[in-house]
Amino acid sequence: MSVLVYIENTNGQLKKNVFETTSYAKATADLLGTNLTAISIGNVSDEELQKLGNYGVSKVLTSKSGQLGTFVNQAYATIIASAVHKENAEVVIISNSLSGKGLAPRTAAKLSAGFADGVVTFPTLYNGAFSVKKTAFSGKAFAITNLISPIKVLALNQNTFELRETGGNTTIESFEAPANNKDFSVLVHEIIREIDKVSLPEAEIVVSAGRGLKGPDNWKIIEELAATLGAATACSKPVSDAGWRPHEEHVGQTGITVSPNLYIAIGISGAIQHLAGVSSSKTIVVINKDPEAPFFKVADYGIVGDAFEIVPQLTAAIKALKEG
Amino acid sequence: MNILVCISNVPDTTTKITFSSDKTQFNAAGVQYIVNPYDEIALSKAIELNEGGAGKVTVIHVGEASADPSIRKTLAIGADEAIRVNAFPLDAWFVAQQIASYAKDKGFDLILTGRESIDYNGTQIAALVGELLKIPSISIIKKLQIEGNTATVESEIAGGKEILTLPLPFIAGTAEGVAEPRIPNMRGIMGARTKPLTVVEPVEVDVLYKIVSYETPEHRSAVKLAETAEKLAELLHTQTKVF
Ligand SMILES: Cc1cc2nc3c(=O)[nH]c(=O)nc-3n(C[C@H](O)[C@H](O)[C@H](O)COP(=O)(O)OP(=O)(O)OC[C@H]3O[C@@H](n4cnc5c(N)ncnc54)[C@H](O)[C@@H]3O)c2cc1C
Ligand SMILES: Nc1ncnc2c1ncn2[C@@H]1O[C@H](COP(=O)(O)O)[C@@H](O)[C@H]1O
């Protein structure tokens, strides 16, 4: 028996969510009294993979064959499933990142495994039941879910679990898994990454603005605040509907769900559909000129005032503190 | 093209989510149900792809008769026929098995879902059905174009997007941008009454997991208002330590 964690890479690099998932997987392995194995697919250097030892991984399986260089969920699920069988894994842990959303359910289906997505707590073993808490109703509620199948797959919410360094080492083993040719019918033509843009679903800080900004030309103050904080930018639905901002930035019940450490809402009223996508943020800050705006009811900090005055002042104050 | 669109019936987005006193059941009393907003995008795309062609758009819903008004709405928007698998949609695995079991020998060229249902699950059905039918699945697509037997899709990835090509058939979850959601017109509403809505019985599925109870998020303590931007920056610096 063991716990298997899937190691996602971005151009061969391991990002923070990998260490979150790994720390979680180590705690799960400890709970079950077993070892933690990792599976990495694609071109990741041994040096990069060695970092996993520090988060409790005792062995890394690495699948690097040529075709595996780009992520294709069907092929990757096949390989993870073979690693599960090889390691006799009972629990498989995957990040609920954008690629994880395509990969985790597919892997679960292949293994006929019980699956929980959007997991926000460590598992418990109470009365023998393997149980986790997951988000439901677009963040308006949580569901306590018991996984009763022999193999269990968990997809973890990002920015939810702390990193736990163990100071250990790991061995690296090449794992040539037979991927099926049919698994490769999807061809990746082009990958377009905006290098200097922070990815919204993964961002630790999000600066978001709504209709209170009046028009697309006024977003400069939002972008400056975001750049100062190293934050991603987001917006309310009417803003993307009006074409002021791209659809990718729309958060809420019908948009992206985010759970950053800090969510700053500027000129957004706080409609229930908007709150659904942001309510699991650790700290919420609201800037709105209307003291009655519903957003203040769910905020931790706020300022009542005009965004056009306050946002540039806030940017300057944060800059000053950072340079401190 | 022969297209299958998966439809979920979800609480209206303004619904306040509450549970029974023992926290085991969602309180459906008085809740207005609607077609999942993303599924309307999937349906609108399917209709657009078939415009002027000889194809057919079938919608499928796994659920009880209480969902029939939502299903009729999809017929009014322009689906040609509807299938309802007559069972309580217990969980995503159950729903996916029903859809896969219905679709497996029907020769659909394309299956569309929404990118996620706004109630229980979260971007599972496309990947689950894809695996059960052994066809490619792209869970979140932003654009879709089809030429002959090949599709080009734009899909969201961390920090950007990727352009993929893949052969039909496959299953994909549509996000905003794939199509403008259509609304039913009078002719559509009249026509929907005579379009077939076929009820089929479910297949048996092993239970792999169970929701045992629900919780609602804890209330935050009252907001602390800052007088000035400087004071707010100071609070964030000392209290949240994010910078
Ligand atoms: C089916 C459905 C799904 C939906 N899904 C979503 C969703 O996913 N995400 C989403 O965001 N919305 C969603 N909505 C829309 C939602 O109901 C609200 O209409 C929307 O969130 C309001 O956007 P807003 O706060 O930007 O605009 P408004 O409600 O117009 O609020 C603007 C705010 O800016 C403030 N303001 C104005 N000027 C200034 C200034 N100079 N300085 C500071 N503050 C100022 C005002 O006081 C006001 O509070 C959905 C609606 C429906 C029906
Ligand atoms: N009960 C259901 N019947 C048919 N399709 C469904 C059902 N539930 C979910 N779907 C489809 O699966 C998509 C993704 O849902 P989910 O995996 O629940 O987030 C939805 O947008 C629908 O297209």
Side-chain angles (χ1 to χ4, degrees), chain B residues 6-8 36 39 60 62 95 113-114 116-117 121-125:
Chain B
C6 307
I7 298 293
S8 50
N36 187 40
D39 305 355
I60 184 167
V62 181
V95 169
T113 72
E116 67 188 88
S117 65
N121 316 312
T123 317
Q124 291 195 31
I125 300 295

Side-chain angles (χ1 to χ4, degrees), chain B residues 220-241:
Chain B
R220 286 170 200 263
S221 42
V223 57
K224 290 192 191 66
L225 289 180
E227 294 293 316
T228 64
E230 288 72 26
K231 289 206 176 114
L232 179 63
E234 191 70 47
L235 272 173
L236 294 179
H237 186 55
T238 52
Q239 306 292 313
T240 70
K241 301 193 169 57

Side-chain angles (χ1 to χ4, degrees), chain A residues 73 106 110 117 133 137-138 140 142 144 146 148 187 189-190 192 194 250 254 273 279 281 298 300 302, chain B residues 13 15 38 118-119 124 131 135 137 158-159 161 163 165 176 208 210 212-213 215 220 224 226 239:
Chain A
N73 62 353
R106 203 150 180 144
K110 202 178 265 297
D117 67 301
K133 180 155 115 178
F137 294 96
S138 310
K140 290 181 186 172
F142 298 104
I144 315 293
N146 285 358
I148 53 185
L187 296 178
H189 271 275
E190 204 181 343
I192 305 154
E194 294 184 42
H250 150 206
T254 51
Q273 297 98 345
S279 57
S281 308
V298 297
D300 301 288
Chain B
T13 58
T15 308
Y38 291 116
I118 61 175
D119 54 359
Q124 291 195 31
E131 180 58 32
I135 57 174
S137 60
K161 57 188 177 183
I163 316 284
T165 54
E176 271 169 323
L208 304 177
K210 275 189 199 141
V212 289
S213 64
E215 283 176 16
R220 286 170 200 263
K224 290 192 191 66
Q239 306 292 313

